Amino acid sequence: MINYTEKIPNNVDLGRDRVLQRALEHWQPAYMGWWYDMGPNESHNYEVYLRTATSVEPDGWAQFGYVKMPDYRWGIFLQPRDEKREVNFGIHKGQAAWQEVPGEYRSTLRRVIVTQGDTEPASVEQQRMLGSSCPSMYDLRNIFQVNVEEGRHLWAMVYLLHRYFGRDGREEAESLLARRSGDADNPRILGAFNEATPDWLAFYMFTFFTDRDGKFQLCALAESGFDPLARTCRFMLTEEAHHMFVGETGISRIIQRTCEVMKENKVEDPSDVRALGVIDLPTIQRYLNFHYSVTLDLYGSDVSSNAANYYTSGLKGRFRETKLNDDHVLADAQYPVSEVVGGKIISKNVPALTALNERLRDDYIDEIADGVGRWQRVIDNAGVPFRLTLPHKGFHREIGNLAGHFISPEGEVLSEETWKNHEFEWLPSSKDYAYVQSLMSGRVVEPGKFANWIAPPARGINNQPLNFEYVRFN
Ligand SMILES: [Fe+2]
Ligand SMILES: [Fe+2]
């Protein structure tokens, strides 16, 4: 028997909720089995300097200390309830926010929660081998932090399934532990979560691009009329910020190091740069193109009746819904989407309700563009003449209006043959992957030491010095 409040920090009154306790009695051991099998490889005895959320109060959500990851206290937290909260959009706008699942939306809502929940363990699976090639103890600690928090995000979604969806919810919670990233027979639900994350450049790109998709999906669900989902997502967002920080600063530090080495040695040619053991900027651009394009697909079809239904029924809102200045019903509004007509990409207006995926994708692109701008400043400040660019949103897409076309990063519609001739100028080749991985053949774990291909961060975690022992290997 588990002592729930001890083992599972929560603010959902778990100690008195017998139904939830019984559901977790079955699920928690299965979760631990999954963590042992699919969590970070060979890490179970390490003591890691991690933050743990023990309450939603400002002083409780980031308690730092050494923890063996299997002993991490995966908790269940919802942002405190606002008694006056309403459904803020769609046909139920103005009703009190729902505290129980509306019967008519039960299966749709369950699907939305399962789809979000599935991404959380997927990314842990994708990253499980990276500890053996970490560039520093600081970075090793960060990937473990991301991993345990993705585990907690799975708990957050499983809580909703167990608490609000009865037997089907329990079955879905089990399936979340059964699917595997990249598995031929039982893959994760969404494409980008079945791609490999083979090296640390890919990991930082993933946390910058794909965790940020997570942020935007959570922001849309945080507007939900189903209040427990909204409150769960709001708390998850506090953790997501760190994941994107890891990605943004990781890439920034790689760029910084490359630029330093280029300047010191007065080289610009990628092969000369590689000879010095750092990652050339064109390779970084190709990784960026890959991660950006597969992440754009996660938003779904540009025109989608499902997206319209989610919105109209009050289940999933827009980014910053309540800050937007319109009727929040969108019955007459229009929104532009792209399509290919006569060999050109054109923009055309469609009913805004059907274009909500595209709109969320556009909101995401705005934020991504700012981040890429910050990376560019690192290059500019070093005085290196190189421009990092975001490819056109039609580049390398497999979902939506632009899928099936051969679009260059500049947005030209090409023939398949022409596109294929340039493919590995635009996307990482097996040689690029092999080179990047050759830099990461072993791990760097001496406190305060960093691999040659990455600059140290500006500061340590939780005000600790850079040479702090972030991981004890035992
Ligand atoms: Fe997450
Ligand atoms: Fe995340």
Side-chain angles (χ1 to χ4, degrees):
M1 233 342 249
I2 309 168
N3 177 344
Y4 288 93
T5 25
E6 261 292 289
K7 257 214 134 159
I8 308 174
N10 71 90
N11 67 348
V12 297
D13 213 2
L14 178 56
R16 286 197 295 187
D17 188 336
R18 283 297 299 146
V19 177
L20 185 56
Q21 284 179 24
R22 268 200 299 276
L24 283 175
E25 270 164 36
H26 291 281
W27 190 79
Q28 193 270 357
Y31 172 81
M32 289 312 300
W34 169 82
W35 181 269
Y36 275 106
D37 288 350
M38 298 311 295
N41 191 38
E42 292 180 353
S43 67
H44 305 313
N45 270 321
Y46 301 172
E47 287 175 86
V48 188
Y49 186 69
L50 293 175
R51 70 175 185 194
T52 305
T54 57
S55 83
V56 293
E57 304 310 317
D59 60 346
W61 80 272
Q63 300 276 332
F64 282 86
Y66 285 100
V67 188
K68 286 188 181 176
M69 285 188 282
D71 301 332
Y72 190 78
R73 295 161 73 215
W74 284 284
I76 302 171
F77 294 105
L78 279 64
Q79 206 75 301
R81 182 170 162 193
D82 168 3
E83 304 282 338
K84 292 201 274 299
R85 186 164 184 267
E86 295 179 348
V87 181
N88 294 312
F89 57 92
I91 54 172
H92 303 289
K93 184 172 176 294
Q95 296 178 6
W98 308 309
Q99 301 307 321
E100 293 295 330
V101 177
E104 61 208 296
Y105 302 140
R106 193 183 159 82
S107 62
T108 318
L109 203 46
R110 190 181 63 218
R111 194 72 207 146
V112 168
I113 292 169
V114 166
T115 306
Q116 177 61 41
D118 191 67
T119 66
E120 316 288 357
S123 64
V124 176
E125 293 164 5
Q126 287 168 295
Q127 295 161 15
R128 69 181 299 263
M129 301 307 291
L130 291 175
S132 57
S133 57
C134 64
S136 75
M137 208 176 230
Y138 163 91
D139 290 280
L140 185 62
R141 176 262 166 220
N142 282 352
I143 195 172
F144 290 158
Q145 183 73 61
V146 171
N147 293 156
V148 293
E149 287 177 350
E150 299 305 2
R152 205 201 67 74
H153 291 176
L154 172 61
W155 275 75
M157 293 296 116
V158 164
Y159 159 72
L160 293 174
L161 292 169
H162 280 165
R163 169 69 181 75
Y164 295 96
F165 293 88
R167 189 203 173 117
D168 325 339
R170 291 195 296 278
E171 284 170 6
E172 293 284 11
E174 281 169 32
S175 302
L176 284 167
L177 295 174
R179 285 185 286 271
R180 289 287 180 270
S181 176
D183 190 277
D185 300 322
N186 197 12
R188 292 294 171 184
I189 296 169
L190 299 170
F193 292 91
N194 289 302
E195 300 282 351
T197 308
D199 55 61
W200 281 77
L201 180 56
F203 167 69
Y204 297 128
M205 290 288 179
F206 185 97
T207 41
F208 179 80
F209 286 104
T210 310
D211 280 72
R212 193 179 312 272
D213 160 69
K215 168 187 166 174
F216 278 76
Q217 300 299 340
L218 291 175
C219 282
L221 296 176
E223 304 290 346
S224 182
F226 178 47
D227 203 39
L229 174 61
R231 291 162 54 209
T232 301
C233 291
R234 283 193 193 279
F235 188 72
M236 291 162 76
L237 281 164
T238 57
E239 293 162 320
E240 209 60 68
H242 178 66
H243 308 179
M244 293 180 292
F245 162 86
V246 168
E248 178 165 340
T249 55
I251 298 296
S252 185
R253 290 160 54 210
I254 292 175
I255 292 173
Q256 186 190 330
R257 180 65 188 142
T258 297
C259 291
E260 276 167 17
V261 169
M262 288 171 72
K263 289 306 272 185
E264 265 168 39
N265 296 277
K266 301 191 175 58
V267 294
E268 275 177 19
D269 188 88
S271 56
D272 297 335
V273 174
R274 285 188 179 190
L276 295 162
V278 294
I279 305 173
D280 53 293
L281 299 174
T283 297
I284 295 173
Q285 176 72 62
R286 288 192 285 274
Y287 270 65
L288 180 161
N289 293 349
F290 175 79
H291 286 271
Y292 178 61
S293 56
V294 299
T295 304
L296 287 185
D297 276 339
L298 289 173
Y299 291 83
S301 298
D302 318 35
V303 176
S304 160
S305 57
N306 275 344
N309 287 337
Y310 293 169
Y311 186 82
T312 301
S313 26
L315 304 180
K316 184 176 176 185
R318 288 171 293 174
F319 183 56
R320 302 197 172 131
E321 180 70 43
T322 51
K323 307 263 177 352
L324 297 171
N325 205 356
D326 57 26
D327 68 359
H328 305 278
V329 181
L330 306 181
D332 306 313
Q334 304 269 306
Y335 193 83
V337 298
S338 305
E339 65 180 28
V340 175
V341 175
K344 288 229 155 19
I345 299 171
I346 59 145
S347 172
K348 78 165 190 195
N349 279 335
V350 298
L353 271 180
T354 63
L356 288 167
N357 288 342
E358 183 68 357
R359 177 168 184 152
L360 193 60
R361 181 161 33 233
D362 288 341
D363 289 331
Y364 166 84
I365 291 172
D366 285 346
E367 203 176 281
I368 286 289
D370 291 345
V372 174
R374 288 189 290 275
W375 291 339
Q376 183 63 46
R377 278 207 289 283
V378 177
I379 302 175
D380 294 344
N381 289 343
V384 170
F386 184 89
R387 274 221 81 70
L388 210 50
T389 52
L390 269 188
H392 187 276
K393 75 171 154 184
F395 172 72
H396 189 232
R397 291 288 304 284
E398 289 187 6
I399 290 177
N401 288 351
L402 301 174
H405 296 283
F406 294 91
I407 298 172
S408 73
E410 289 75 36
E412 288 167 283
V413 183
L414 305 175
S415 70
E416 178 170 6
E417 194 191 350
T418 312
W419 194 93
K420 290 266 179 214
N421 284 338
H422 294 280
E423 180 173 1
F424 296 116
E425 293 160 32
W426 299 332
L427 291 170
S429 66
S430 53
K431 282 186 191 148
D432 291 331
Y433 284 117
Y435 172 68
V436 170
Q437 284 157 40
S438 75
L439 298 177
M440 304 172 189
S441 55
R443 59 185 196 181
V444 177
V445 287
E446 201 181 300
K449 243 195 118 196
F450 289 81
N452 180 57
W453 50 267
I454 191 165
R459 59 191 65 82
I461 291 295
N462 193 34
N463 297 320
Q464 299 292 357
L466 290 188
N467 64 359
F468 184 71
E469 191 177 16
Y470 288 104
V471 180
R472 294 178 180 149
F473 292 104
N474 299 317

